[in-house]
Amino acid sequence: MSCKEQIHNIEENTTDETLIKKWKTNKRRWRLTSEERWWVCYITLTMLALTTRQASLDQPSGTLWDEVHFGTFANHYINRTFYHDVHPPLGKMVIAGAAWLSGYNGSFEFTQGKRYTPDINYVAMRSMMAVLGSSLVPLSFLLVWELSASLGASSLAALCILTDTFIHRLNTLILLDPPLLASILASVYCITKFHNQRHRAWGWAWWAWLCLTGVCLGTVMSVKYVGVFTVGFVGCHTVYQLCCLAGDPHTPLWKVLPHTGARAVALIILPTLVYISSFVVHFWILKSWNPNAGGFYHTKFFAAFDNTEYDNLTLPEYVQYGANLTIQSSRPICGFLESWFDLFPSEWTAPCQQVTTSTLRDHEALSWIIKKVDLDAGAVIDGKDPQQEVVLVRNGDYVMLTHAETGRSLRSHGHRAPITKRHFQVCGYGDDGAGGPFETWQLLIPGEEVGVPLTTISHDFLLKHYKMNCYLKANEKVKLPPWAFKGAKEVTCTKNREQPGIEWHINWNVSPMVNKTISVRDKTVGLWGKIFFQHLNMFIGNAVLITGDDNDRNARPWMWPTNWQIQLLGSFPENKTAEGGGEDVYAVGMTNPLLTYLNLMGLGGVLVLSLAHSYCKSRCPHQDPALVEARGRTLVTCWWLLLCWAIHYLPFFFMSRVLYYHHYCPSYLFSCMITGVLLSWICETLSRKVRDDLREEFLGALLLVPVSALLASYIYFWPLATYMRGEIFEANPRLNPGLDFFYLGQLWPEFGYRKSEFQTISTTLVDRWLKDHLHNPDINATLYYTTPLDNTASHPSALQPVPASNYSLWTPGAVDPVGIL
């Protein structure tokens, strides 16, 4: 007979109160107090997070996904060379610090698919990031505890995050995600903890949690700009707090002002100081320039660093006609104005010489000769005659720019640009510097009087076309197709004076007859100027990420919550032979399927439970008050977490930039917490139906069901959290057959047959692929998803050659050089 049965029999059959009291005392002796149970759960979950995240860090043994980028940034910090990136610097400095602590010297070239060499302690780097990533489990436990005061909800929420495979995999790599996700959860936890101190306002704990919230907000914004969503949540929570204060009849309205001021200092000024401090440290570390990054930034910015072509250099302050120039767009990311002998394809636009911008320095492609156009005489002054006086380039002058290498002049005309059809084409035309009205531009310096000499670097200027009345424009968002040089961006002529990208400056000035009087370093910006230019480039750089070559990893927001598309992180061959034997070791990013669909049900369950709660409160007045209170507390917790989920998820639907599955991770964390809270509430509600003396044991048994299911799914899908072995085929990996039942997305070509069978099908039957053969039973149905039905190439008709342009066709017109400024 069990102990419980003995106690029950004694309580029913005996009248000896002393004996009953003795049995109950023995029963309680083996129970933990509520505080002890809290610490056991918290420590157990924390230790599980620390230990599981340290498993299999050595596999795969090469660069995985964005380890390529952030490992390269660590190189820059260790070597103290500047780099361009679209994210703030704090997270990358954390990665660089982990690399430095591991003994790394910054010499490894991080490239896609490259194995780490034996001298690189990449396991230590991943281990330190894994420790940071494991903090998500205790942070989620503490956050849900502050919201719900339920040990079951806190434990299940933390367990959901512990057992998710994608969270595990992402937080064990050299990426920004571990510091980012930890900062997001810390910010939400601190503002919740601060809110719970509202009855002890102005105490030291109240101030401590308020200031910690500000520090965490500054940290999350210094890691990645997605942290602005966390700032938005904290802002909503702060407004809610102030509204509660203002609506409290026992609180005078004048007392709301000090509360507002304290929050403004701690949640606006303090995060700003933390954020700016990260850039101060960033520029203190990075002193030298990366030679190939000049085109991303204004010359005033990159000339301020060491190891540039401007070190100890003097240039002519003014520009003479006949000078050899390098012209750079003042718009970040655009680069230098360049040209080469290749023509635009006639299928795209008029077939004249390509003119583009590029961020790479190629002096043969970048050099331009500036000449003066005399409108009255219809002639060109090229400045080559040494007997003539030096003529300086001035504001309002009409000029012609001839490409030094090819001898063709900068032109615009009535043909449309190759990509941006609403703009006019810009190209090179004419041999040996010949030109005419369509090669004539007016140089305008905004804010300066007519006749002011153009200066090197300092002046930003516009080039207005004489005939077309449009402005030379660089477009950082329009990358030309492969027929242009790699990375080349479109240059057009726009009639809209307000469009960005129409300002240019002289990057390099070779004026032989003008004295070299300026030191380029004197024209550069200081620390605050660097911070300004850095932000301008980061904001524009983020906006430029609207398309990507990484199409196999791209995913739109509607795909994220349903496992519609997984993310291949990298693969490496192992034991491969010449005959094709062996296997691959690879890693994928895929959430735990059980958790994925539990989270979906949890998000819908919050809405259903809210409706049920409202209905029961109005239509069922005789409910158990304790049950109503527990349900209400659960809903309050879920709605705060749901607000976090929505703020970190819904804005992505309005973004045009390229997105990946990992962008869902902050929202996914909060949906996991919602799932844990609802599962705990279901178990607690069911346990209320049993006797009081058995309720605790029954609740424990109920909680054991989701705990066991989550742990079992974690063990079953463990390869998703670490790595897998086997054959990898094309972009998507072949997973174990169990995943066929959980994956809702695209049909993968490798599902249902082996790689060799697919190769046989694709080589023997694709030539029979005709529209009237769609019902051919010999063709595997999966090919419908991988082979286009109609591959017929369609090309627009070729355009006619560009008409001639020379000064014999010149028709001078009355032009007011002042009126256009």
Side-chain angles (χ1 to χ4, degrees), residues 545-586:
L545 297 174
I546 54 178
T547 58
D549 299 327
D550 202 8
N551 293 323
D552 297 318
R553 293 169 176 162
N554 295 354
R556 297 309 302 168
W558 64 266
M559 300 178 181
W560 300 341
T562 59
N563 261 343
W564 187 268
Q565 178 176 319
I566 71 168
Q567 189 169 325
L568 176 64
L569 301 178
S571 65
F572 295 87
E574 189 171 282
N575 302 323
K576 289 287 185 179
T577 63
E579 293 76 19
E583 58 186 5
D584 294 296
V585 176
Y586 54 91

Side-chain angles (χ1 to χ4, degrees), residues 207-225:
W207 274 110
W209 287 110
L210 179 61
C211 292
L212 275 175
T213 304
V215 171
C216 291
L217 286 180
T219 300
V220 72
M221 283 297 297
S222 302
V223 175
K224 218 171 182 181
Y225 284 129

Side-chain angles (χ1 to χ4, degrees), residues 286-324:
L286 305 181
K287 295 293 186 181
S288 297
W289 187 259
N290 180 14
N292 291 325
F296 284 102
Y297 289 84
H298 198 289
T299 307
K300 293 178 182 178
F301 178 86
F302 72 82
F305 290 83
D306 298 329
N307 193 33
T308 71
E309 59 265 38
Y310 295 106
D311 289 351
N312 304 316
L313 178 72
T314 57
L315 289 176
E317 182 175 7
Y318 301 112
V319 181
Q320 73 171 83
Y321 283 110
N324 201 307

Side-chain angles (χ1 to χ4, degrees), residues 391-468:
V391 181
L392 299 181
V393 180
R394 297 180 182 274
N395 184 22
D397 285 357
Y398 287 89
V399 302
M400 185 171 70
L401 290 167
T402 300
H403 191 246
E405 177 68 14
T406 63
R408 288 178 176 154
S409 300
L410 188 70
R411 171 191 176 103
S412 185
H413 46 213
H415 290 281
R416 297 298 175 179
I419 304 296
T420 311
K421 296 299 183 182
R422 64 184 180 275
H423 294 172
F424 296 121
Q425 181 192 25
V426 172
C427 63
Y429 186 79
D431 294 328
D432 299 324
F438 289 100
E439 288 75 38
T440 300
W441 304 79
Q442 187 176 24
L443 188 145
L444 308 172
I445 306 175
E448 297 286 355
E449 294 182 359
V450 174
V452 172
L454 175 67
T455 59
T456 305
I457 299 176
S458 299
H459 275 150
D460 292 335
F461 61 88
L462 315 179
L463 287 172
K464 183 178 182 181
H465 196 267
Y466 172 72
K467 280 290 187 181
M468 307 304 299

Side-chain angles (χ1 to χ4, degrees), residues 539-806:
F539 295 151
I540 294 176
N542 272 297
V544 167
L545 297 174
I546 54 178
T547 58
D549 299 327
D550 202 8
N551 293 323
D552 297 318
R553 293 169 176 162
N554 295 354
R556 297 309 302 168
W558 64 266
M559 300 178 181
W560 300 341
T562 59
N563 261 343
W564 187 268
Q565 178 176 319
I566 71 168
Q567 189 169 325
L568 176 64
L569 301 178
S571 65
F572 295 87
E574 189 171 282
N575 302 323
K576 289 287 185 179
T577 63
E579 293 76 19
E583 58 186 5
D584 294 296
V585 176
Y586 54 91
V588 297
M590 180 178 176
T591 52
N592 185 330
L594 175 62
L595 257 178
T596 301
Y597 305 123
L598 281 177
N599 289 347
L600 277 178
M601 291 187 288
L603 294 173
V606 175
L607 303 178
V608 173
L609 186 60
S610 299
L611 293 174
H613 181 65
S614 299
Y615 177 83
C616 292
K617 283 184 67 176
S618 60
R619 308 292 290 184
C620 306
H622 303 296
Q623 290 184 96
D624 182 359
L627 185 64
V628 175
E629 181 185 357
R631 190 169 61 228
R633 187 170 60 249
T634 298
L635 281 173
V636 169
T637 301
C638 287
W639 275 109
W640 279 116
L641 294 173
L642 188 64
L643 179 62
C644 283
W645 174 86
I647 287 178
H648 287 84
Y649 175 55
L650 297 181
F652 285 108
F653 283 94
F654 304 97
M655 294 184 186
S656 58
R657 61 154 287 170
V658 61
L659 297 171
Y660 301 102
Y661 194 18
H662 79 108
H663 286 115
Y664 185 57
C665 281
S667 293
Y668 188 76
L669 291 174
F670 296 112
S671 65
C672 286
M673 295 182 211
I674 292 173
T675 299
V677 171
L678 289 179
L679 288 174
S680 174
W681 173 79
I682 292 171
C683 294
E684 290 174 359
T685 302
L686 292 176
S687 66
R688 293 178 182 275
K689 301 183 180 300
V690 300
R691 286 170 34 188
D692 291 344
D693 58 334
L694 298 178
R695 182 174 298 167
E696 191 172 331
E697 288 81 358
F698 186 70
L699 176 60
L702 288 177
L703 289 173
L704 192 61
V705 175
V707 169
S708 302
L710 290 170
L711 290 174
S713 68
Y714 189 43
I715 295 170
Y716 181 74
F717 296 118
W718 178 257
L720 291 177
T722 51
Y723 68 96
M724 287 172 280
R725 294 181 182 272
E727 284 195 12
I728 188 166
F729 180 57
E730 290 192 349
N732 295 312
R734 181 186 180 92
L735 304 177
N736 61 64
L739 292 181
D740 292 355
F741 299 101
F742 298 99
Y743 181 67
L744 293 182
Q746 316 164 49
L747 288 178
W748 291 350
E750 66 273 21
F751 275 13
Y753 47 83
R754 293 183 296 276
K755 178 180 178 181
S756 59
E757 293 173 349
F758 179 85
Q759 290 174 333
T760 302
I761 293 170
S762 60
T763 55
T764 59
L765 296 179
V766 166
D767 58 342
R768 298 165 56 187
W769 189 267
L770 300 173
K771 290 185 178 180
D772 56 343
H773 289 167
L774 293 181
H775 301 290
N776 189 336
D778 297 329
I779 301 179
N780 191 294
T782 309
L783 290 180
Y784 287 111
Y785 294 86
T786 60
T787 306
L789 294 181
D790 187 1
N791 288 324
T792 303
S794 59
H795 299 289
S797 59
L799 298 174
Q800 297 300 317
V802 181
S805 175
N806 58 64

Side-chain angles (χ1 to χ4, degrees), residues 509-528:
N509 177 14
V510 180
S511 295
M513 300 173 68
V514 180
N515 293 330
K516 298 179 180 180
T517 58
I518 62 166
S519 170
V520 177
R521 295 297 289 267
D522 294 338
K523 298 287 185 178
T524 58
V525 296
L527 173 63
W528 299 112

